[in-house]
Amino acid sequence: MASNLKPLCKFGEKCYRKNPQHLNDFRHPKRKSEEEDEPETKKRQKVQQEGKKKTIDDFFGHTKKQQPTEVNDEEDRAENPSDSGAEDSGEDTGSAGACRGNSEEEKEGEEEEEVEAPDSPADVKENIRAKFLVDMPGDFYQFWDFCKAENPHKPCDALKDLGFQLVGPFDILAGNHKGKTKNQHGKRPNFLLHWRYYYDPPEFQTLIKGDDSSQFHLGYFRDDPSEMPAFVASNSAAVDCIISSKGDNLFAAVNCCLEEQLKSKDTDSSKKAMLKSLAEKLKKFAGEKGHSLDVKSKGMKDRDKHVVCKSFHKAGIVVPVDENEVGYREVPETPADLKKIFKKIADSKSEAERDMNYEPLQELITLIQFANDECDYGEGLELGMDLFCYGGKVFHSTILQLLPLAYMLLNRNEFGKIIEAHLKNRQKSADLSQL
């Protein structure tokens, strides 16, 4: 077929398709090459450099960032997507099928890449930031002090009776990173992936791991990498993508888990006695340090007022929205309809069928381009996050079109680095140590 007789692609210059068959079958007269796209890239970089945008704390009108206390440096198609989420009223049921797409194997990323060694400053707080790109709040270091008092020789095992182990940035406090130039895969440790579970978005930072069967874990959830965490959350990665809040500090979150086990009929009397003792000591220590054990603090309630959408993970997305409501516009599909769209793409049997099923998603991407032009950056963050939570390697390229750009426009570049690293090595495994 002569090129001038080919039908015009309905998306024109907005088309993201890379399928050779599609490019052969349709005309893209205004399609730009990567070299021609360079001015647009520079334009986006200019947006980033034109003054620092307001942080989430500025948006809320108060300063939440706290000074950490001093501390000494001691130093997938494996699952079948369920239709249940697409048949309901649009609310996520919390089932595994509601979040998961088709993954062709357990490890969905590319071959793990060798990364540059991060800096290791002598100051432990700077060391953690260099490796994880975020700062830790005061309760992080105080919780470490509590665990050292419980188990001086191995603080990371202080919560063993509860079935918990301290991981992630706590490994830096324990000195478990020292001398580790190669991880179990023979590569240099990538701390952006250290205990990053399958459904952990960049906003979630794992600190405590639970049982491997459900892949339960606790960590900080923050809306902006430059701010302190909004709350402590939990997720069971082997079950679903849901992120549940457990309080605004680690003491509150662990106390919540202690109470749940004490109330459980599956906990025998001898274990309950140990857990009660641990709970009493934790409450006393938290009280001395001034930490509330409330599961829902005032700060968390204030945050709820600024959540623009729940997203599939239910923890909510917060982006700055000005007095003219510029900053966010909702994705024009219900959660149930989005899951139907994603499922059809994931279940496609051929490239041609996938191209056809991709069209509704392509239309949404085009709308997001318009939204970005009008400074409504939250829409791209929402759709990219929903794709991430649905799961499946088939969506990785689209996620990488949406999330790093959204994070850049929102001045959350650290989150962009994390999502790029994660999608290169996204695993459903429970063994996620990089040491």
Side-chain angles (χ1 to χ4, degrees):
M1 180 183 291
S3 62
N4 62 342
L5 297 179
K6 294 180 182 179
L8 179 65
C9 174
K10 62 186 289 188
F11 299 111
E13 62 179 348
K14 300 291 186 181
C15 181
Y16 273 97
R17 304 276 180 83
K18 297 181 179 179
N19 181 10
Q21 188 62 47
H22 174 78
L23 299 180
N24 185 58
D25 291 345
F26 294 91
R27 286 186 293 125
H28 298 83
K30 296 182 180 180
R31 192 177 183 87
K32 297 179 181 180
S33 66
E34 291 182 2
E35 292 78 10
E36 291 170 329
D37 280 339
E38 186 177 359
E40 180 64 23
T41 301
K42 291 181 178 178
K43 177 183 175 183
R44 290 169 179 165
Q45 292 173 343
K46 184 179 179 182
V47 170
Q48 178 189 0
Q49 295 167 357
E50 286 179 345
K52 186 177 178 66
K53 297 181 179 66
K54 289 186 177 181
T55 65
I56 291 297
D57 280 349
D58 292 332
F59 177 52
F60 284 171
H62 66 276
T63 301
K64 182 171 58 180
K65 192 160 184 174
Q66 47 186 301
Q67 291 298 324
T69 56
E70 292 301 318
V71 63
N72 293 325
D73 183 0
E74 299 176 33
E75 301 222 89
D76 58 56
R77 289 190 173 176
E79 289 81 10
N80 295 317
S82 167
D83 289 328
S84 61
E87 298 298 328
D88 61 20
S89 63
E91 292 298 317
D92 191 288
T93 62
S95 66
C99 296
R100 294 185 178 183
N102 282 18
S103 68
E104 297 170 359
E105 53 187 15
E106 183 173 320
K107 180 176 178 179
E108 292 189 351
E110 304 166 3
E111 184 67 23
E112 187 174 354
E113 293 183 351
E114 188 79 52
V115 296
E116 292 184 10
D119 293 335
S120 290
D123 182 88
V124 67
K125 299 168 196 172
E126 293 180 6
N127 198 347
I128 289 174
R129 177 166 183 78
K131 290 175 170 57
F132 297 94
L133 306 184
V134 291
D135 291 316
M136 296 295 120
D139 67 278
F140 170 80
Y141 298 99
Q142 289 165 350
F143 193 80
W144 178 251
D145 289 339
F146 170 76
C147 291
K148 283 196 299 182
E150 287 299 299
N151 189 335
H153 300 294
K154 207 165 185 182
C156 288
D157 289 345
L159 305 179
K160 195 172 183 179
D161 289 342
L162 188 56
F164 288 172
Q165 181 184 9
L166 306 190
V167 295
F170 280 120
D171 281 317
I172 306 302
L173 297 186
N176 294 334
H177 64 296
K178 292 181 177 180
K180 296 291 180 68
T181 58
K182 299 291 182 181
N183 60 24
Q184 57 187 325
H185 308 294
K187 304 288 185 180
R188 185 177 289 114
N190 185 344
F191 289 93
L192 300 184
L193 301 176
H194 189 45
W195 291 105
R196 182 160 294 280
Y197 286 80
Y198 187 83
Y199 288 116
D200 289 353
E203 290 82 355
F204 191 97
Q205 175 68 61
T206 299
L207 299 168
I208 299 174
K209 70 177 291 288
D211 66 283
D212 289 344
S213 58
S214 68
Q215 296 182 21
F216 178 88
H217 55 292
L218 292 168
Y220 287 131
F221 188 95
R222 63 187 88 212
D223 297 303
D224 190 304
S226 68
E227 307 295 349
M228 287 298 171
F231 53 86
V232 178
S234 68
N235 169 254
S236 296
V239 179
D240 57 35
C241 65
I242 305 302
I243 295 174
S244 304
S245 60
K246 297 287 186 181
D248 69 359
N249 64 82
L250 284 170
F251 294 95
V254 172
N255 182 66
C256 177
C257 295
L258 276 166
E259 291 184 346
E260 289 173 356
Q261 285 206 24
L262 286 169
K263 292 175 183 177
S264 173
K265 295 179 180 179
D266 297 330
T267 306
D268 60 46
S269 56
S270 60
K271 184 174 182 180
K272 280 187 177 181
M274 291 187 292
L275 294 181
K276 281 182 180 179
S277 175
L278 179 62
E280 289 172 2
K281 288 184 282 188
L282 182 138
K283 288 177 181 178
K284 181 181 178 182
F285 195 98
E288 292 172 351
K289 300 299 181 181
H291 292 296
S292 167
L293 298 181
D294 293 339
V295 175
K296 193 80 168 181
S297 68
K298 182 182 182 300
M300 293 166 66
K301 293 175 183 176
D302 290 341
R303 175 186 179 273
D304 287 345
K305 299 174 184 177
H306 298 280
V307 169
V308 296
C309 65
K310 284 294 187 182
S311 185
F312 284 7
H313 58 47
K314 299 300 181 185
I317 287 175
V318 175
V319 294
V321 179
D322 68 18
E323 61 275 9
N324 297 315
E325 298 188 356
V326 174
Y328 171 76
R329 66 181 72 173
E330 65 181 7
V331 174
E333 294 285 356
T334 66
D337 286 339
L338 278 177
K339 289 167 190 169
K340 288 179 181 178
I341 293 171
F342 298 167
K343 186 177 188 303
K344 287 183 71 174
I345 295 171
D347 288 350
S348 298
K349 307 298 183 184
S350 66
E351 285 289 335
E353 182 183 355
R354 181 164 294 165
D355 274 350
M356 180 179 65
N357 292 332
Y358 192 88
E359 288 187 4
L361 181 56
Q362 176 69 64
E363 291 176 0
L364 293 177
I365 292 171
T366 300
L367 293 175
I368 285 167
Q369 290 177 316
F370 297 143
N372 285 341
D373 289 341
E374 297 173 13
C375 299
D376 288 329
Y377 307 139
E379 185 178 14
L381 177 58
E382 179 184 359
L383 182 60
M385 190 57 62
D386 286 346
L387 284 163
F388 174 82
C389 290
Y390 189 84
K393 187 176 180 179
V394 65
F395 298 114
H396 285 189
S397 62
T398 306
I399 295 169
L400 288 173
Q401 291 169 5
L402 294 170
L403 285 186
L405 175 59
Y407 287 135
M408 185 195 78
L409 295 172
L410 289 164
N411 201 37
R412 301 174 182 179
N413 296 300
E414 292 87 350
F415 285 167
K417 293 177 182 178
I418 292 171
I419 193 65
E420 288 174 348
H422 194 186
L423 293 185
K424 288 179 180 177
N425 191 33
R426 192 179 185 189
Q427 300 184 47
K428 292 185 180 294
S429 169
D431 182 12
L432 297 167
S433 175
Q434 281 284 313
L435 297 177

